[in-house]
Amino acid sequence: MVRINLLPIRSLLRKRELKQFYVIAGVIVAVAFVVMALVYAYFDSEISKLEALKATKTKELADLKQKNQEIADLKAKVESLQQQVKSVRDLTKRRISPAPFMQAVSLAIPSDVWLERVQKTDTGFQVTGSGVDNTVVVDFVQRLQKLKKKQVDPTATKDEQERLFFSKVELKRVTRASGRGGLDEIKFEISGVVN
């Protein structure tokens, strides 16, 4: 005998499978939305952090630009002041001041030389006097030629200290004359340039 199943089992099974499919699909879609919401929230917070960092860095950059401008202004002021100091030094060097010149001459003069006349112009000088003999006069000329600025002006800059105080020092005239106590003496005239 043939049995016929009149119960709609297949349709019930299909409905059950379809329900399972919809439930699983719904869960997958819900999980996908939750994951998307979490990823969106994460990237949104990262963007907020980066924008805050950008704002801070922009402010720091503006502060640094202002400080750079202040530094540039200070450098310009320093250069201006250095130029003024250099101008003052140049004017001081050029002014007619007998003190350093006289100190230099007194440092160079030997004990057996007597000066009769010392004349200083803007940059030059002339000295006339007498000495015991030729060697003393030559020693005086050599001392004048070797005298350095540091011996006269300790406040001079380092490169100036090693420069000579006098240049072009020459013995212009030498004559023998009878001097004090009937002894012969050497009359001389020396000229040169004050550096």
Side-chain angles (χ1 to χ4, degrees):
M1 149 167 190
V2 177
R3 288 185 168 194
I4 299 175
N5 190 356
L6 297 175
L7 294 173
I9 290 185
R10 284 188 183 159
S11 66
L12 285 175
L13 288 175
R14 261 192 220 150
K15 284 183 183 177
R16 196 182 322 159
E17 287 175 357
L18 201 54
K19 271 187 187 180
Q20 285 176 349
F21 173 75
Y22 286 136
V23 168
I24 291 173
V27 168
I28 290 174
V29 168
V31 168
F33 276 119
V34 168
V35 168
M36 285 174 33
L38 290 174
V39 168
Y40 176 80
Y42 171 75
F43 282 117
D44 189 46
S45 69
E46 288 297 313
I47 288 172
S48 299
K49 288 178 189 176
L50 289 175
E51 285 177 350
L53 182 65
K54 179 184 175 185
T56 331
K57 296 296 181 186
T58 305
K59 184 180 177 188
E60 286 177 10
L61 181 65
D63 290 344
L64 289 175
K65 283 182 180 179
Q66 181 182 359
K67 288 180 182 177
N68 278 345
Q69 184 61 40
E70 290 173 3
I71 289 171
D73 292 344
L74 287 175
K75 282 183 181 178
K77 285 181 183 178
V78 165
E79 287 177 13
S80 172
L81 289 174
Q82 285 175 341
Q83 187 64 33
Q84 289 175 359
V85 166
K86 185 177 180 236
S87 298
V88 167
R89 278 192 182 147
D90 289 344
L91 289 173
T92 305
K93 284 181 187 177
R94 290 184 190 147
R95 80 169 186 220
I96 301 172
S97 174
F101 170 74
M102 293 304 289
Q103 181 182 3
V105 171
S106 70
L107 287 172
I109 192 166
S111 60
D112 294 336
V113 170
W114 301 275
L115 299 181
E116 296 170 4
R117 187 172 65 105
V118 178
Q119 181 180 0
K120 181 181 181 299
T121 60
D122 286 343
T123 58
F125 72 93
Q126 273 192 332
V127 176
T128 56
S130 58
V132 175
D133 58 16
N134 288 338
T135 57
V136 174
V137 174
V138 170
D139 182 39
F140 182 41
V141 171
Q142 288 174 346
R143 285 183 180 191
L144 287 172
Q145 290 171 340
K146 293 178 183 177
L147 190 68
K148 296 196 176 191
K149 283 198 181 240
K150 68 180 175 184
Q151 294 170 293
V152 178
D153 183 11
T155 62
T157 61
K158 272 194 167 187
D159 58 335
E160 288 178 346
Q161 285 186 350
E162 291 304 316
R163 290 173 48 200
L164 296 174
F165 192 84
F166 297 113
S167 61
K168 300 181 183 175
V169 179
E170 296 176 358
L171 188 58
K172 290 290 186 180
R173 184 172 47 92
V174 178
T175 57
R176 183 173 294 276
S178 62
R180 298 172 184 93
L183 298 174
D184 285 349
E185 63 182 10
I186 304 297
K187 296 271 191 187
F188 63 86
E189 183 178 318
I190 300 172
S191 67
V193 176
V194 179
N195 292 329

